[in-house]
């Protein structure tokens, strides 16, 4: 055996403390602040249900063992029902490191192992996850990354730098994303999805605060009514939209800085290493032979300023799981268009391209109107006109419908303008998208 059989670190039981106990802690704090202790006591059965997760983790920790030999990684688990998973080392595609705050405090690492043979498994088994102390975590990562057991003989596993900072690392093959560029990314990324997530939460929070402060609905309506009377409804709406947008910009910048803090790409002979994160630190190892291509994504603002986000196509990287279902396949969060070709070809030489794309002819433009989005915008426009004529209280609804129609029309034009294809004997590139342009490069 090269490693194990060995149980993971005991911190595995507590690593999802916020997810397991977060709502319970918030409820207790809120009950103490409002001096409503009876509501906490009434929910003791709910607390018992909440404790099921940590108890389940205790059994998983006690009855799960990891073993690595010269050919495979084995995971044996279960108490009453025994389970065994074997992963051939030759199929390993990514070895990921993740550290949340609890991991960092206790110097523990969470590893996520993905491989080419498990893509048909269920979501619960799409990744092998294990939690080890620093020494064991880096040893396992080195074994699985190299995939040849005899390469670890004589290797110094006591020092993290011995595994990460090898002689291959020079200034030429280490790319670090600057902090100002990460801030720029937060400014340029689309705010639509962020708004859909933030606005409902903010509305619920404001409603809770108003109830806690015992402010009546009449007082709230009178306050906003006075603002509208003083500024006018149109100006009030403009101010509200600008205020929301500024708040979303600040939140977007904060999320980008926290998520991609100290983003570093280390380009080695047979692999690339990606490290980033402030509160939750992540480290990915991608074998170059498993990388099939890249995707360069640009919002409208990014296109205007000639920036974009580069993602990678590699089995195991970017697929979410139950712990992180929003994980992105980011290989560089913000990259200039002028540097794109050199960056990709520096990792995969076959992906060197040029900017000569075959564009759709003018006669094909009419086919872009057959999109579901444009047809939907037309239906909305026609419906708004009918309602405006039928109901006098909605006589201005056609303006909103026309706005939707114009957005649909603009999306058709942008889709036509952004569509293109390029290919040679080494790679193929396809671009498409309306408000968000995506250019795919496949070797």
């Amino acid at each position: 055996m090269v490693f194990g059989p060995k149980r993971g670190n005991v911190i595995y039981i507590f690593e999802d403390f916020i997810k397991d106990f977060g709502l319970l802690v918030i409820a207790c704090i809120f009950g103490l602040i409002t001096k409503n202790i009876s509501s906490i006591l009434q929910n003791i059965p709910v607390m018992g249900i909440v404790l099921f997760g940590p108890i389940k983790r205790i059994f998983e920790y006690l009855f799960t063992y990891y073993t690595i030999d010269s050919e495979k990684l084995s995971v044996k688990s279960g108490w009453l029902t025994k389970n065994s998973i074997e992963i051939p080392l030759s199929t390993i595609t990514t070895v990921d490191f993740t550290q949340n705050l609890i991991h960092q405090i206790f110097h523990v690492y969470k590893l996520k192992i993905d491989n080419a043979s498990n893509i048909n498994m269920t979501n619960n088994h799409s990744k092998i996850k294990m939690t080890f102390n620093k020494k064991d975590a880096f040893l396992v990562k080195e074994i699985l990354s190299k995939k040849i057991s005899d390469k670890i003989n004589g290797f110094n596993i006591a020092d993290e730098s011995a595994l990460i900072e090898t002689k291959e690392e020079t200034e030429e093959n280490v790319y670090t994303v600057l902090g100002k560029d990460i801030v720029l990314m937060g400014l340029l990324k689309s705010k639509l999805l962020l708004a859909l997530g933030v606005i409902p939460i903010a509305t619920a929070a404001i409603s809770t605060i108003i109830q806690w402060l015992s402010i009546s609905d009449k007082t709230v309506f009178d306050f906003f009514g006075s603002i509208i009377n003083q500024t006018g409804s149109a100006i009030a709406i403009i101010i509200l939209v600008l205020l929301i947008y500024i708040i979303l910009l600040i939140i977007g910048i904060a999320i980008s800085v926290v998520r991609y803090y100290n983003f570093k790409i280390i380009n080695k002979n047979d692999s690339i290493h990606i490290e980033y994160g402030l509160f939750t630190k992540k480290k990915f190892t991608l074998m170059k032979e498993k990388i099939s291509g890249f995707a360069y994504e640009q919002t409208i603002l990014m296109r205007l300023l000639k920036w974009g986000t580069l993602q990678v196509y590699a089995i195991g990287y970017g697929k979410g799981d139950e712990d992180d279902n929003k994980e992105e396949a980011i290989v560089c969060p913000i990259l200039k268009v002028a540097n794109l070709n050199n960056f990709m070809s520096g990792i995969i030489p076959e992906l060197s391209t040029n900017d000569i794309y075959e564009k759709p002819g003018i006669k094909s433009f009419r086919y872009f109107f057959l999109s579901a989005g444009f047809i939907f915008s037309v239906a909305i426009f026609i419906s708004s006109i009918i309602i405006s004529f039928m109901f006098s209280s909605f006589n201005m609804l056609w303006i909103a419908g026309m706005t939707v129609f114009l957005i649909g029309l603009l999306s058709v034009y942008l889709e036509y303008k952004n569509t293109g294809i390029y290919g040679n004997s080494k790679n193929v590139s396809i671009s498409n998208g309306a408000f968000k342009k995506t250019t795919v490069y496949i070797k």
Side-chain angles (χ1 to χ4, degrees):
M1 295 295 176
V2 178
F3 180 86
K6 195 163 188 176
R7 190 185 287 147
N9 193 277
V10 69
I11 294 300
Y12 170 79
I13 300 172
F14 309 99
E15 64 185 8
D16 285 335
F17 180 85
I18 295 177
K19 186 173 78 172
D20 291 337
F21 298 103
L23 291 176
L24 181 61
V25 172
I26 292 173
C28 291
I29 293 174
F30 187 77
L32 292 173
I33 292 175
T34 58
K35 298 180 180 180
N36 188 9
I37 307 298
S38 60
S39 63
I40 299 177
L41 298 177
Q42 290 173 359
N43 288 286
I44 289 179
V46 178
M47 296 181 186
I49 297 174
V50 170
L51 290 174
F52 174 78
I55 293 173
K56 178 175 176 287
R57 283 180 168 271
I58 292 174
F59 280 92
E60 289 176 350
Y61 164 73
L62 292 174
F63 297 99
T64 301
Y65 290 87
Y66 305 95
T67 305
I68 303 175
D69 58 27
S70 59
E71 296 181 353
K72 62 184 181 299
L73 161 67
S74 301
V75 182
K76 295 183 178 180
S77 60
W79 176 33
L80 298 177
T81 302
K82 300 292 185 180
N83 297 312
S84 180
I85 300 176
E86 293 184 349
I87 306 296
L89 298 188
S90 60
T91 65
I92 298 293
T93 56
T94 59
V95 183
D96 309 342
F97 270 176
T98 301
Q99 275 188 304
N100 59 28
L101 287 175
I102 294 177
H103 292 138
Q104 294 175 51
I105 291 171
F106 293 97
H107 303 287
V108 170
Y109 291 81
K110 183 172 185 176
L111 286 84
K112 296 181 182 180
I113 314 300
D114 212 319
N115 68 99
S117 64
N118 68 11
I119 57 176
N120 291 323
M121 292 185 179
T122 60
N123 290 334
N124 290 335
H125 296 89
S126 62
K127 286 183 184 289
I128 303 298
K129 295 175 286 293
M130 53 188 77
T131 303
F132 287 119
N133 59 36
K134 178 179 178 180
K135 179 179 178 179
D136 289 340
F138 278 89
L139 175 58
V140 169
K141 179 176 180 179
E142 180 65 16
I143 296 171
L144 298 180
S145 297
K146 296 295 184 182
K147 299 181 293 183
I148 302 175
S149 60
D150 59 1
K151 288 192 176 183
I152 67 167
N153 292 334
F155 204 96
N156 177 17
I157 61 174
D159 185 8
E160 173 181 341
S161 62
L163 296 170
I164 298 300
E165 297 179 3
T166 64
K167 292 182 179 180
E168 293 179 81
E169 268 192 50
T170 62
E171 292 183 0
E172 288 75 22
N173 58 19
V174 177
Y175 182 87
T176 302
V177 180
L178 300 178
K180 64 178 183 179
D181 292 339
I182 294 176
V183 171
L184 180 63
M185 178 188 181
L187 288 170
L188 298 181
K189 285 196 72 172
S190 174
K191 302 296 181 294
L192 179 59
L193 292 178
L194 182 60
L196 293 176
V198 169
I199 292 177
I201 296 174
T203 303
I206 293 172
S207 177
T208 302
I209 293 172
I210 289 174
Q211 291 179 2
W212 181 42
L213 296 176
S214 300
I215 299 175
S216 65
D217 294 339
K218 184 178 182 302
T219 304
V220 174
F221 284 117
D222 289 343
F223 173 75
F224 285 105
S226 63
I227 294 177
I228 293 174
N229 290 332
Q230 293 175 9
T231 61
S233 58
I235 296 177
I237 292 174
I238 293 173
I239 292 174
L240 178 62
V241 171
L242 288 175
L243 182 62
I244 292 174
Y245 187 73
I246 291 172
I247 293 173
L248 291 176
L249 282 178
I250 295 172
I251 295 174
I253 291 172
I255 291 174
S256 295
V257 170
V258 170
R259 179 176 295 173
Y260 300 114
Y261 174 78
N262 197 29
F263 197 104
K264 182 190 295 184
I265 305 106
I266 304 168
N267 187 12
K268 296 189 177 183
N269 290 333
D270 60 350
S271 63
I272 59 172
H273 300 270
I274 301 172
E275 307 175 11
Y276 64 93
L278 183 58
F279 298 127
T280 299
K281 296 183 178 180
K282 297 187 177 184
K283 297 182 181 181
F284 301 95
T285 299
L286 298 174
M287 308 308 294
K288 288 185 178 181
E289 63 182 13
K290 304 297 184 181
I291 296 176
S292 59
F294 296 98
Y296 191 61
E297 296 184 346
Q298 297 174 288
T299 63
I300 290 180
L301 288 177
M302 284 181 172
R303 292 205 298 275
L304 291 175
L305 298 178
K306 299 187 182 303
W307 288 87
T309 297
L310 187 64
Q311 299 198 21
V312 64
Y313 289 115
I315 296 174
Y317 183 44
K319 280 194 302 184
D321 56 31
E322 63 268 29
D323 292 332
D324 188 4
N325 56 16
K326 294 184 179 180
E327 181 185 323
E328 298 177 289
I330 297 290
V331 72
C332 189
I334 185 86
L335 183 66
K336 286 185 177 180
V337 173
N339 300 332
L340 176 62
N341 188 41
N342 289 338
F343 187 94
M344 290 192 303
S345 60
I347 298 174
I348 308 293
E350 298 90 339
L351 288 177
S352 178
T353 64
N354 59 43
D355 295 329
I356 303 175
Y357 281 79
E358 289 291 333
K359 308 293 288 185
I362 190 64
K363 291 183 178 180
S364 65
F365 182 53
R366 62 181 183 271
Y367 295 110
F368 287 84
F369 288 94
L370 300 178
S371 66
F374 178 73
I375 294 173
F376 177 75
S377 69
V378 172
I380 291 293
F381 186 31
I382 295 174
S383 300
S384 66
I385 293 175
I386 294 173
I387 294 174
S388 296
F389 278 100
M390 291 181 63
F391 304 98
S392 58
S393 57
F394 295 99
N395 60 345
M396 302 299 290
L397 186 63
W398 67 272
I399 297 177
M402 184 177 68
T403 303
V404 173
F405 172 73
L406 292 176
I407 292 174
L409 198 63
L410 178 61
S411 69
V412 169
Y413 172 75
L414 291 175
E415 185 75 46
Y416 169 76
K417 183 178 177 60
N418 293 333
T419 298
I421 186 170
Y422 160 84
N424 57 28
S425 59
K426 295 182 178 180
N427 60 72
V428 174
S429 177
I430 300 173
S431 67
N432 69 318
F435 297 104
K436 183 178 182 181
K437 180 181 178 182
T438 301
T439 305
V440 176
Y441 305 88
I442 302 294
K443 65 179 181 180

